[in-house]
Amino acid sequence: MILISILLTLFYVEAVVVPWLDDDPFIDVTKPSKQELGFPPVLPPNEITDDTRSLPSEGFIPDYVLKHCPLVHLYSEEEYWPTDVSEFIHHFRVMTNEGKLLRNGTLDLKDLKEEFLDLEDPQEVVESSDTYLSSLDDFDKDPRWMLGHKPEYSSGRINDAPAVLIVVDKGNGWVDAYWFYFYAFNLGPFIMGYGPWGNHVGDWEHSLVRFYEGEPKYLWMSAHGGGGCYQFDAIEKKKRYNYIHGKPTPEVVERPLIFSARGTHANYASVGQHAHDVPFFFSALSDFTDRGPLWDPALNFLGYTYNGTNVTPVSKREEELGTSWLTYKGRWGDKQLPWSDPRQRWCPVQWRYIEGPTGPLTKNLERTGLCQRMKWGNILRVCTPRRTIKRGQGLDAERNDMVGDNCGVLLYRIRPKWLRSLFRIAMWRGVACFLMDYFTG
Ligand SMILES: *[C@@H]1O[C@H](CO)[C@@H](O)[C@H](O)[C@H]1NC(C)=O
Ligand SMILES: *[C@@H]1O[C@H](CO)[C@@H](O)[C@H](O)[C@H]1NC(C)=O
């Protein structure tokens, strides 16, 4: 009984209190990381002048961005594969947070805007941030459009689901390439065999490759509102023929690899089991990654540049879709279901269905640091790229993965298991590992 109470309290702290504390307004995410000293400063888009610009023009994406585009290993038993936003939107209507229908289906991507006129009261302007997309179908029944599309086995191309690439000039030779991965549904984790919890319609994940004078320097990847931050050299690479305009060339390039977790699509740099990225070493809330189907987002993407105020499409295809959908600030999925809805469930840490995420331009693309934002759990208040890969644990981890996580090196060698658990508790439930890992990772 006592054990269960302790467990529930820890779940509560990890799943509810920690995310709530994440939005700490006093943390300066714009502070540059330590590693960037010695290089000229990374500039936010609104401080760039003609003298400091890295790219020749808006709407221009350099070849090196595609050459170093991350390949994504999706989970082998994934049920919710990448989705095309243009197809997704047909199955939605726009509602205000107060529950008023603003635009009925069938919607097109062009119908999404920064603000809407209320059709009944044309004087009234509704900010998109006060709206959400509401599904026309019952998402609890897995309609076909929610399942997405698998990559082709040979090329890794997903014909029916383009990725979204947004390139941002950060001045002084720096260029950020944000690759967005859209999935129609996020299936949350199971807790002690029950679940899934924290499901939502619409799932925007992304990675950032930061270049200095055409050379990739850092790779950041999103996971549950936080993410992993690496020196580009530390990331596992895969040799592949370089594709130009969708056709393979004889040139071999080394592409970085990231791993998308089962259901949640959180991104990691290795395979195995990953505790959610909080400093508590608590694997009950875990993600799983493996070497499932390989997705090459560079073979089918919608490309844009962004200068802090304007989005510029890179080709005719994007021009035809328009750019207003990127300025939509509402939620890309249904609101959290009310308690009274028979599909909704609750456990002491989480609801079964929670609200959808907001779109790409709300993900701090103006950042000069590498992280999207600081998590409360990041006690040291900086976003420093790791020099070694954070390894997964558990059955799915590959043989040499036991030597990854610095604390893990010590901990995983301890047998029997109960003794290891005692050690783990003695290290302030992993906070000591987190600190050690911070300085030696
Ligand atoms: C961004 O681009 C638009 C259109 O290309 C331009 O009008 C605007 O001044 C640019 N803003 C900045 C901060 O460069
Ligand atoms: C919205 O569209 C659906 C079908 O497309 C229709 O059944 C429904 O009555 C419409 N709602 C309103 C308020 O017009």
Side-chain angles (χ1 to χ4, degrees):
M1 196 58 217
I2 294 173
L3 186 68
I4 290 180
S5 323
I6 294 174
L7 279 179
L8 285 181
T9 313
L10 287 170
F11 274 135
Y12 187 77
V13 168
E14 178 166 314
V16 179
V17 182
V18 170
W20 176 68
L21 287 167
D22 275 351
D23 291 318
D24 186 338
F26 302 107
I27 298 174
D28 180 13
V29 276
T30 59
K31 214 168 89 180
S33 313
K34 267 196 286 187
Q35 308 290 324
E36 283 161 20
L37 298 178
F39 287 101
V42 176
L43 301 176
N46 62 356
E47 285 177 21
I48 289 180
T49 60
D50 284 341
D51 292 339
T52 51
R53 211 174 287 288
S54 312
L55 294 176
S57 61
E58 315 257 353
F60 175 80
I61 291 182
D63 287 344
Y64 59 74
V65 167
L66 302 184
K67 215 164 159 172
H68 301 287
C69 161
L71 296 169
V72 184
H73 265 299
L74 298 158
Y75 195 74
S76 52
E77 285 159 49
E78 181 59 69
E79 292 171 68
Y80 303 100
W81 303 91
T83 311
D84 184 353
V85 283
S86 309
E87 178 196 343
F88 176 84
I89 197 67
H90 295 328
H91 306 279
F92 287 83
R93 56 194 170 174
V94 183
M95 305 280 287
T96 67
N97 283 336
E98 290 70 42
K100 187 170 170 188
L101 179 64
L102 263 189
R103 293 290 183 277
N104 203 2
T106 305
L107 292 184
D108 269 324
L109 214 47
K110 281 203 174 82
D111 293 316
L112 291 186
K113 298 189 162 74
E114 191 165 11
E115 40 185 45
F116 297 91
L117 284 182
D118 188 336
L119 296 180
E120 285 165 27
D121 178 6
Q123 306 297 344
E124 186 85 9
V125 173
V126 182
E127 294 290 326
S128 58
S129 53
D130 193 32
T131 70
Y132 68 97
L133 298 182
S134 160
S135 166
L136 298 170
D137 302 303
D138 182 358
F139 48 82
D140 200 39
K141 297 208 163 64
D142 276 351
R144 176 64 194 92
W145 58 262
M146 227 166 75
L147 306 179
H149 304 279
K150 275 190 187 185
E152 270 172 18
Y153 178 71
S154 55
S155 67
R157 178 185 164 96
I158 305 184
N159 250 332
D160 298 320
V164 175
L165 167 64
I166 303 180
V167 172
V168 186
D169 191 327
K170 294 287 163 86
N172 292 327
W174 295 102
V175 170
D176 280 359
Y178 295 88
W179 289 96
F180 281 90
Y181 315 111
F182 184 69
Y183 306 84
F185 193 69
N186 175 100
L187 188 74
F190 286 75
I191 298 174
M192 296 193 277
Y194 291 94
W197 303 101
N199 306 327
H200 51 87
V201 176
D203 190 13
W204 281 108
E205 296 288 341
H206 71 286
S207 66
L208 155 63
V209 185
R210 177 164 286 176
F211 295 89
Y212 178 67
E213 299 193 332
E215 288 299 316
K217 290 284 176 201
Y218 307 107
L219 176 58
W220 179 90
M221 57 195 85
S222 67
H224 303 288
C229 185
Y230 292 90
Q231 303 267 359
F232 191 83
D233 291 343
I235 289 286
E236 182 179 342
K237 309 290 189 312
K238 188 177 173 78
K239 284 206 170 86
R240 244 172 103 82
Y241 288 113
N242 192 23
Y243 280 67
I244 294 180
H245 306 300
K247 300 258 177 330
T249 66
E251 186 195 5
V252 174
V253 286
E254 292 209 324
R255 301 273 297 271
L257 273 182
I258 63 181
F259 300 85
S260 163
R262 175 178 74 195
T264 68
H265 311 119
N267 296 303
Y268 295 93
S270 61
V271 296
Q273 181 178 355
H274 310 269
H276 283 194
D277 61 342
V278 283
F280 306 96
F281 207 86
F282 199 56
S283 354
L285 269 183
S286 287
D287 277 321
F288 298 88
T289 56
D290 71 6
R291 293 180 192 270
L294 192 67
W295 178 21
D296 186 347
L299 296 185
N300 184 15
F301 65 91
L302 299 172
Y304 305 87
T305 59
Y306 176 60
N307 71 1
T309 49
N310 278 68
V311 177
T312 308
V314 300
S315 76
K316 249 205 150 63
R317 179 184 183 193
E318 293 85 358
E319 268 165 39
E320 280 164 10
L321 288 175
T323 54
S324 73
W325 68 275
L326 281 163
T327 64
Y328 175 70
K329 297 204 171 54
R331 303 245 159 215
W332 282 77
D334 290 77
K335 252 180 133 61
Q336 177 163 327
L337 286 179
W339 175 223
S340 56
D341 192 297
R343 293 169 292 180
Q344 187 61 292
R345 300 263 191 292
W346 185 80
C347 79
V349 287
Q350 184 60 288
W351 292 92
R352 179 155 176 207
Y353 284 109
I354 59 172
E355 64 184 355
T358 55
L361 291 192
T362 65
K363 306 293 188 199
N364 192 16
L365 307 190
E366 300 82 5
R367 69 185 87 161
T368 53
L370 287 158
C371 296
Q372 182 189 338
R373 58 185 184 146
M374 284 299 157
K375 293 208 102 181
W376 169 82
N378 186 341
I379 7 184
L380 297 167
R381 298 288 188 261
V382 283
C383 172
T384 309
R386 296 176 63 93
R387 296 178 297 269
T388 55
I389 288 182
K390 196 162 189 157
R391 299 289 182 184
Q393 12 153 354
L395 289 178
D396 288 345
E398 288 166 354
R399 214 178 56 85
N400 56 355
D401 284 358
M402 287 295 184
V403 295
D405 206 302
N406 282 282
C407 202
V409 178
L410 304 174
L411 273 181
Y412 300 136
R413 290 198 178 152
I414 299 174
R415 295 282 188 285
K417 258 189 171 165
W418 61 266
L419 188 62
R420 188 198 310 170
S421 304
L422 273 184
F423 267 96
R424 190 179 280 180
I425 291 165
M427 301 179 95
W428 316 327
R429 299 203 66 259
V431 175
C433 296
F434 177 80
L435 282 175
M436 181 155 59
D437 193 45
Y438 177 83
F439 290 109
T440 57

